[in-house]
Amino acid sequence: MPHAVSEGVRLHFEEAGSGVPILFLHEFAGDHRSWQNQMRHLSRGWRCITFSNRGYPGSDAPEDEAAYGQDIANRDAIAVLDHLNIAKAHVVGLSMGGYTALQLAIHYPNRIIAAVAAGAGAGASRVHREAYLKETLANAQRMASAGRIDAEGAGRGPTRVQLLGKDPIGWRISVDHMAEHDAQASAKTMRRIQGGRPSLYDLEDKLKAVTAPVLLMIGDEDEPCLDVNLFMKRLMPTAQLMVLPGSGHVINHEEPDLFNLMVERFLGAVDRGTWRPRDPRAAPKVPPREIGP
């Protein structure tokens, strides 16, 4: 299996197609296989690369918990590009991967052409931040203690039942893949990334300064992520926002045709040079703020 190496850790990757590169970044519950629908469709016009984060199937799972973290995840993504001699790429991420896509746009602007951040922002709310962090640590501890991931239970969560209702076969594939993940590595990822990364609300100045084109995508039933995505849309002159109706968190699985169409349309406009940032005359008249109780 092909691997890139990042700080001594092997990262499994797969690629298909040719042209301008797209690097796919998976969610916590996913891995490199999560992007199969997108790889099949978008590799007709782009060079598509998908990889598993450290701790996920095909990649090494370091025992040292200090080997996990958001900054490390950022560097791992860049290491994959370096291994493939790719100077600049589009990045497309979901959830944990969507957060990383935004991080790359902030910290590695010279390596990013455009970013798609889907379902990014869980745990961002300042009002609910403390409860989110406590629950994250508790979930990680349960996972580590049990030595397994309750994939069936996670798949029936309030932002994932939408996939079960729409596509039971796709839901089963997703759940079975999640159940294969290393519980100890997943617990470390949950503590160090989900529990260690800053809220997107705390990155206001950095997000406002992003110059790369950004497509934010969200399901209208993905409650933990709705408000922060509206905040980012109002904040970032380079951001567009796509809301998928009747959809939860894993929108690339729930609505693959619509997801692929919108990503293809966005990246195509960027590559053609026809993408435009928001007209200043359309900017909000008051500063964006966190929404909610």
Side-chain angles (χ1 to χ4, degrees):
M1 294 192 297
H3 290 89
V5 177
S6 177
E7 301 173 7
V9 175
R10 296 183 309 155
L11 304 170
H12 171 66
F13 70 89
E14 297 178 2
E15 61 176 317
S18 61
V20 178
I22 304 174
L23 181 67
F24 291 97
L25 308 168
H26 65 77
E27 63 155 333
F28 173 81
D31 54 55
H32 70 277
R33 298 169 291 183
S34 301
W35 297 105
Q36 289 178 356
N37 281 320
Q38 287 68 49
M39 292 283 287
R40 285 197 299 270
H41 181 80
L42 293 169
S43 63
R44 302 178 186 200
W46 284 268
R47 179 186 181 186
C48 294
I49 302 110
T50 180
F51 78 99
S52 279
N53 284 18
R54 58 179 64 203
Y56 285 83
S59 295
D60 291 344
E63 294 185 7
D64 184 0
E65 189 157 327
Y68 298 80
Q70 185 60 56
D71 289 344
I72 294 169
N74 298 346
R75 295 196 297 271
D76 284 352
I78 296 299
V80 174
L81 296 182
D82 288 344
H83 176 81
L84 295 170
N85 296 313
I86 294 173
K88 298 187 75 170
H90 298 301
V91 290
V92 177
L94 175 72
S95 190
M96 180 175 76
Y99 188 103
T100 298
L102 293 170
Q103 286 278 304
L104 296 180
I106 290 170
H107 296 292
Y108 297 90
N110 61 319
R111 306 298 302 272
I112 303 306
I113 304 169
V116 177
S125 170
R126 293 189 182 100
V127 174
H128 304 293
R129 181 74 174 167
E130 184 175 350
Y132 165 81
L133 292 174
K134 286 182 179 179
E135 182 62 19
T136 295
L137 294 177
N139 285 339
Q141 183 58 47
R142 283 193 291 269
M143 198 180 297
S145 298
R148 58 179 292 273
I149 298 171
D150 181 13
E152 296 277 342
R156 289 182 168 83
T159 64
R160 293 180 182 271
V161 292
Q162 296 86 355
L163 177 59
L164 176 60
K166 293 176 181 179
D167 181 6
I169 296 173
W171 179 87
R172 170 50 57 193
I173 292 171
S174 177
V175 166
D176 287 349
H177 285 173
M178 193 191 326
E180 295 173 6
H181 294 173
D182 183 303
Q184 302 303 326
S186 292
K188 294 166 189 170
T189 298
M190 182 167 282
R191 283 192 291 263
R192 298 281 295 185
I193 296 184
Q194 276 80 352
R197 66 192 180 196
S199 163
L200 288 171
Y201 287 113
D202 294 332
L203 302 179
E204 180 172 344
D205 290 341
K206 293 179 179 179
L207 289 167
K208 191 185 300 184
V210 167
T211 57
V214 174
L215 176 62
L216 305 169
M217 301 184 75
I218 191 74
D220 66 350
E221 295 179 9
D222 192 0
E223 286 290 342
C225 299
L226 279 174
D227 292 339
V228 71
N229 275 267
L230 186 56
F231 166 81
M232 289 193 288
K233 166 58 186 173
R234 288 172 167 159
L235 177 73
M236 303 171 68
T238 64
Q240 298 174 351
L241 173 62
M242 173 65 181
V243 181
L244 279 66
S247 298
H249 193 56
V250 286
I251 50 178
N252 66 314
H253 294 307
E254 285 184 48
E255 300 290 350
D257 292 342
L258 183 55
F259 186 95
N260 293 344
L261 174 64
M262 296 310 300
V263 171
E264 184 174 39
R265 179 180 174 182
F266 170 69
L267 297 184
V270 173
D271 289 345
R272 290 192 304 271
T274 58
W275 174 90
R276 301 284 187 275
R278 173 185 278 186
D279 188 314
R281 293 170 294 183
K285 303 304 180 186
V286 295
R289 61 179 179 83
E290 181 174 357
I291 304 168

